[in-house]
Amino acid sequence: MSENRSALVVDDERDIRELLVLTLGRMGLRIDTAANLGDAREQLARNRYDLCFTDMRLPDGNGIELVAEIARDHPRTPVAMITAFGNVELAVEALKAGAFDFVSKPVDIAVLRGLVKHALELNNAERPAPAPPPPEQASRLLGQSPAMGVLRETIAKVARSQAPVYILGESGVGKELVARTIHEQGARAAGPFIPVNCGAIPAELMESEFFGHRKGSFTGAHADKPGLFQAASGGTLFLDEVAELPLPMQVKLLRAIQEKSVRPVGASAEIPVDVRILSATHKDLGELAADGRFRHDLYYRINVIELRVPPLRERTGDLPQLTQAILARLAAQHGRDTPALSDAAMAALAGYGFPGNVRELENILERALAMADGDIINADDLYLPQANGHARATAAGNGVVHDINDDAPDGPLPSYIEQLERSAIHKALEDNRWNKTKAAAQLGITFRALRYKLKKLGIE
């Protein structure tokens, strides 16, 4: 660590100041101290700091004031709040005011070192460039609409913090890509990004999956296994569909987030973990908390910063750019030239509501690419669902459009059955806001069977 890095420690307790001076000094930082707000403001006026620690309660004011002032006047100086042990409400208030992170008293040296490392990397120009998103996700954040401009600006701001971010948006808008972008633009970019679908883990295995287990702790535990928190240590843990967590698991997750440590199943001691929590759901988490279906304390802990991802229908002006990018990627995958959309096809897309958002647009265009004859995709090639919820299919050979729910098939029986399946699955997904577990239940099939059909029909 460079010797010219500096930090300001603001605390009225001599013991805390001395501990931080000693610890940070051993990490190669030059340290200045202040015992109150007035001294801190004088130091900030005279010097530039790479990092600041401030206590919450100071003799002449509140540390929150200093956090807000530094965030406003010295935006390139990350500031961490020192709070009393277990005082989560004040820690969350500090994060909302612009604090980079917080550390509880008594100060854990290992946690402190990790916090300092990430804070200093915020201004490290040599930090590795973020990896490009996977090709199938690369189109999700495209667009020049005002809504996307605001989203990208907000992502850039929250990436500089360690505060938990709650990503709210409908299914298919690209919430995981937003989370991945926050990770890649932040100080943890070189660390792991671990996404987990909270609705896909059986309740009886949830604690083991999140926190790990020791050999012999239960039937089938043949070896020690690290959990998702350990796998994400030094990086970001993305909790997708966090609303699906059962209440008992919510209690354990809250404790892990607050204490920054986990206890594997069957272990006698806790293990410190260093993760940033990002979470997402298509449900109204505030409403669930109000109804008692989601813990208030966990809701406020993960919802420090709320980030809404706009649905596709609110940014239809981005459709031309999105469709061009998606078609170019799909065509390259199939080794063919990129087809063009006819004016009628583009008008049909612009008039469609896209309940499945960008994910649904990708599915529609992939199907159209396979169905289109030649280098032009026409409106009929899109097979857009109609207002009554059923898709329209073009019978092979004559170009006549039929509703797939006509009494008799007009074409090969396997193709007709496939269209029926596709329509039923689309409708179930739309009815359940693209929650596959609930869609499978509505269809009367298992989750595994639904996944097989989605892959077979090219729906995802």
Side-chain angles (χ1 to χ4, degrees):
M1 190 172 292
S2 175
E3 290 289 339
N4 61 3
R5 294 295 185 96
S6 61
L8 174 64
V9 175
V10 186
D11 201 300
D12 61 339
E13 293 185 43
R14 181 188 297 272
D15 291 348
I16 294 293
R17 293 201 303 270
E18 291 179 352
L19 173 63
L20 291 179
V21 166
L22 181 63
T23 304
L24 300 180
R26 286 176 175 170
M27 297 181 72
L29 279 78
R30 179 183 63 80
I31 312 300
D32 289 336
T33 63
N36 53 55
L37 276 178
D39 290 349
R41 287 167 176 148
E42 289 181 10
Q43 297 272 30
L44 286 163
R46 291 197 304 264
N47 305 298
R48 178 195 168 276
Y49 294 102
D50 297 288
L51 173 62
C52 176
F53 284 92
T54 180
D55 193 13
M56 174 65 72
R57 292 185 174 88
L58 297 166
D60 53 348
N62 192 315
I64 293 287
E65 298 176 41
L66 188 61
V67 170
E69 290 175 20
I70 293 175
R72 182 188 67 230
D73 302 330
H74 309 277
R76 293 189 62 81
T77 300
V79 54
M81 178 65 71
I82 305 170
T83 66
F85 180 77
N87 200 332
V88 178
E89 292 77 10
L90 290 178
V92 170
E93 187 180 347
L95 291 170
K96 288 184 176 180
F100 163 78
D101 207 341
F102 69 93
V103 60
S104 299
K105 298 178 183 178
V107 177
D108 184 309
I109 300 301
V111 170
L112 179 65
R113 287 179 176 273
L115 187 154
V116 171
K117 174 178 176 289
H118 290 303
L120 295 180
E121 285 177 354
L122 281 175
N123 296 326
N124 185 357
E126 299 178 359
R127 180 160 50 86
E136 68 274 10
Q137 296 180 345
S139 58
R140 298 277 175 89
L141 291 185
L142 288 178
Q144 303 305 314
S145 61
M148 291 305 292
V150 169
L151 177 62
R152 280 191 287 266
E153 288 177 7
T154 307
I155 287 174
K157 290 178 182 177
V158 302
R160 293 186 52 79
S161 170
Q162 292 298 289
V165 178
Y166 167 52
I167 304 167
L168 175 63
E170 298 175 4
S171 293
V173 294
K175 296 188 291 295
E176 181 175 335
L177 180 59
V178 169
R180 192 179 294 273
T181 305
I182 292 171
H183 167 78
E184 291 168 350
Q185 291 185 8
R188 295 175 177 267
F193 175 84
I194 306 295
V196 52
N197 187 329
C198 298
I201 304 175
E204 62 272 15
L205 297 178
M206 204 161 268
E207 186 174 359
S208 170
E209 287 295 314
F210 273 100
F211 308 139
H213 63 250
R214 291 287 182 258
K215 179 180 178 180
S217 56
F218 55 85
T219 303
H222 301 302
D224 287 357
K225 176 190 172 185
L228 293 164
F229 269 83
Q230 294 97 311
S233 196
T236 302
L237 181 61
F238 173 53
L239 305 176
D240 197 9
E241 297 303 342
V242 69
E244 303 301 323
L245 287 172
L247 286 170
M249 189 60 204
Q250 291 177 28
V251 178
K252 295 171 182 175
L253 177 62
L254 175 64
R255 189 178 189 283
I257 294 173
Q258 290 180 176
E259 309 303 335
K260 298 186 178 180
S261 63
V262 298
R263 178 177 292 176
V265 177
S268 58
E270 294 192 335
I271 300 172
V273 288
D274 169 30
V275 299
R276 184 182 189 183
I277 299 293
L278 306 179
S279 58
T281 180
H282 67 274
K283 296 182 177 179
D284 187 332
L285 211 54
E287 182 179 316
L288 293 179
D291 291 345
R293 288 176 287 167
F294 197 87
R295 290 184 62 94
H296 277 93
D297 44 10
L298 179 59
Y299 171 62
Y300 290 122
R301 190 64 186 83
I302 65 175
N303 189 25
V304 174
I305 300 173
E306 184 171 300
L307 185 58
R308 179 179 178 271
V309 185
L312 186 53
R313 63 181 175 275
E314 292 183 7
R315 56 185 191 102
T316 53
D318 293 333
L319 272 173
Q321 183 181 2
L322 282 169
T323 54
Q324 177 62 30
I326 294 169
L327 286 173
R329 169 171 54 81
L330 294 173
Q333 290 175 355
H334 290 85
R336 56 180 287 185
D337 293 336
T338 304
L341 279 175
S342 69
D343 291 343
M346 183 55 74
L349 289 176
Y352 180 56
F354 288 104
N357 293 291
V358 180
R359 183 189 297 136
E360 185 181 10
L361 174 63
E362 292 172 347
N363 294 335
I364 288 170
L365 292 176
E366 186 168 16
R367 182 170 66 241
L369 189 66
M371 300 298 293
D373 295 323
D375 297 328
I376 302 293
I377 292 179
N378 295 304
D380 286 345
D381 297 322
L382 299 174
Y383 289 81
L384 291 178
Q386 303 302 299
N388 61 4
H390 303 305
R392 284 156 62 87
T394 304
N398 60 13
V400 178
V401 177
H402 297 276
D403 191 293
I404 64 170
N405 288 305
D406 288 346
D407 290 336
D410 189 358
L413 183 60
S415 298
Y416 177 72
I417 293 174
E418 182 178 302
Q419 288 289 354
L420 285 175
E421 281 191 328
R422 188 188 305 278
S423 178
I425 290 172
H426 261 293
K427 186 174 188 304
L429 288 168
E430 291 166 9
D431 288 348
N432 292 281
R433 301 174 67 87
W434 290 77
N435 183 310
K436 295 174 189 173
T437 303
K438 293 183 178 179
Q442 179 175 316
L443 291 165
I445 60 177
T446 65
F447 180 76
R448 179 176 293 181
L450 176 60
R451 284 199 308 179
Y452 169 78
K453 290 183 179 296
L454 291 171
K455 185 175 182 180
K456 175 187 173 185
L457 298 172
I459 295 177
E460 81 171 357

